[in-house]
């Protein structure tokens, strides 16, 4: 399966309300089992969190083009923040088989830190930061990534997280001329390219055009997408 970086559209309840499915990334794939992890944010994820073990859930997917382009890269840096860490695990797991994978994850505080052991197992080096310093290093994960890249070159950066983090890594990768792909977690409606709810600007040659994150993404080359 080629689905690292892709996502699922989940109908949280078999009812008219809430009408829209909720997009959740593929976290881990083991044989026929596809795992996802989510944070309760509002009504939809709250309902989903109350579904019982053994219940069938209506899931559409895998959706999107997904697929971080890690093949052939020997030194990889992965940057994640908050709920953006989830789609990076399957990538790290696969890339770590043939490459040096350094992972930088940023969280708001100690309580928000997730999957430390899991990411440790699929990385050469794992750096965790918290905004308030309540766990591991205080500060932003991207600053530690930059410090390491100043000492040792990387072939590619892959990132997913809050928009300010993605803007910062896009700018840094362009300055340093490092290939970089980012996964956008825009708000979505349909998830299949019909509602225009997830439009994003991309450079297509001389032109700037709009495309759909749900169909063309959510993974984009950072130098192509305008965020
Ligand atoms: C491609 C993609 C992959 C995603 N993967 C994951 C994942 O693996 N795990 C996970 O926990 N979440 C993920 N999300 C975010 C998740 O879809 C939203 O948190 C969820 O749809 C919120 O639904 P809700 O009904 O609970 O909240 P709502 O009632 O719709 O909103 C509650 C609050 O959450 C905010 N919110 C809603 N959608 C988003 C979003 N996309 N990003 C940030 N804030 C949002 C709203 O602004 C509002 O403040 C992903 C989003 C996308 C687009
Ligand atoms: S979510 Fe409807 S077009 Fe992308």
């Amino acid at each position: 399966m080629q689905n690292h970086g892709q996502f699922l559209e989940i109908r949280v309840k078999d009812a008219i309300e809430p009408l829209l499915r909720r997009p959740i990334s593929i976290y881990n794939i083991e044989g026929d089992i596809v795992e996802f992890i989510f944070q309760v944010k509002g009504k939809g994820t709250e309902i989903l969190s109350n579904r019982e073990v053994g219940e069938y859930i209506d899931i559409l997917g895998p959706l999107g083009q997904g697929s971080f382009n890690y093949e052939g890269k020997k030194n990889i840096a992965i940057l994640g923040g908050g709920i953006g860490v989830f789609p990076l695990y399957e990538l790290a797991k696969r890339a770590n088989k043939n490459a040096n994978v350094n992972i930088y994850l940023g969280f708001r505080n100690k309580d928000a830190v997730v999957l430390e052991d899991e990411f440790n197992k699929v990385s050469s080096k794992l750096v965790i930061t918290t905004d308030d310093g309540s766990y591991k290093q205080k500060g932003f994960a991207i600053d530690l990534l930059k410090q390491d890249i100043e000492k040792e070159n990387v072939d590619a950066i892959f990132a997913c997280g809050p928009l300010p983090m993605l803007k910062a890594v896009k700018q840094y990768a362009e300055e340093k001329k490092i290939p970089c792909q980012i996964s956008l977690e825009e708000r979505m409606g349909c998830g299949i390219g019909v509602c225009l709810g997830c439009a994003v600007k991309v450079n297509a040659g001389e032109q700037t055009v709009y495309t759909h994150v749900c169909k063309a993404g959510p993974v984009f080359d950072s130098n192509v997408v305008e965020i």
Side-chain angles (χ1 to χ4, degrees):
M1 276 174 115
Q2 192 54 14
N3 312 117
H4 60 287
Q6 289 186 292
F7 66 98
L8 309 166
E9 277 276 75
I10 302 180
R11 197 167 171 212
V12 296
K13 190 177 167 185
D14 295 330
I16 293 170
E17 258 292 300
L19 183 65
L20 295 175
R21 291 169 183 266
R22 297 305 195 258
I24 300 290
S25 306
I26 291 176
Y27 155 65
N28 185 32
I29 304 167
E30 294 294 339
D32 291 341
I33 297 175
V34 174
E35 294 179 317
F36 60 87
I37 302 180
F38 63 95
Q39 188 181 75
V40 173
K41 278 262 184 173
K43 192 171 165 189
T45 43
E46 172 75 41
I47 294 169
L48 189 60
S49 72
N50 287 317
R51 298 295 296 266
E52 298 289 333
V53 172
E55 269 188 82
Y56 281 97
I57 297 177
D58 179 346
I59 295 177
L60 201 62
L63 298 174
Q65 300 285 332
S67 302
F68 295 98
N69 184 15
Y70 67 89
E71 274 164 47
K73 315 274 189 218
K74 287 292 164 208
N75 287 303
I76 290 172
I78 293 179
L79 175 68
I83 57 170
V85 306
F86 301 130
L88 299 172
Y89 176 75
E90 182 67 25
L91 161 69
K93 195 176 84 180
R94 294 180 189 206
N96 191 49
K97 290 184 180 143
N98 296 307
N100 191 48
V101 178
N102 289 351
I103 303 182
Y104 305 83
L105 303 180
F107 300 93
R108 274 191 320 280
N109 54 41
K110 188 178 181 192
D111 291 344
V113 176
V114 286
L115 301 175
E116 182 177 356
D117 291 346
E118 288 77 359
F119 276 105
N120 236 328
K121 286 182 195 144
V122 293
S123 60
S124 318
K125 170 177 176 172
L126 174 65
V127 174
I128 290 185
T129 63
T130 47
D131 299 352
D132 64 358
S134 53
Y135 188 66
K136 297 285 169 103
Q137 286 181 259
K138 183 175 190 251
F140 294 129
I142 187 169
D143 293 329
L144 295 153
L145 170 144
K146 285 181 186 177
Q147 276 175 24
D148 282 354
I149 291 179
E150 294 305 321
K151 289 182 257 159
E152 199 179 328
N153 285 342
V154 298
D155 306 327
I157 303 173
F158 302 107
C160 186
L163 208 51
M165 172 190 266
L166 296 184
K167 284 184 178 178
V169 75
K170 169 182 159 66
Q171 190 189 348
Y172 178 71
E174 280 165 27
E175 277 165 22
K176 294 281 175 188
K177 303 202 178 355
I178 302 170
C180 174
Q181 288 187 307
I182 54 179
S183 182
L184 300 180
E185 297 200 330
E186 292 289 317
R187 296 221 61 178
M188 284 186 185
C190 66
I192 51 169
V194 293
C195 77
L196 305 178
C198 63
V200 67
K201 268 190 192 172
V202 292
N203 307 316
E206 302 283 283
Q207 283 180 313
T208 299
V209 295
Y210 281 93
T211 191
H212 299 127
V213 173
C214 66
K215 283 212 90 172
V219 178
F220 291 92
D221 289 345
S222 69
N223 58 356
V224 163
V225 73
E226 288 192 19
I227 51 173

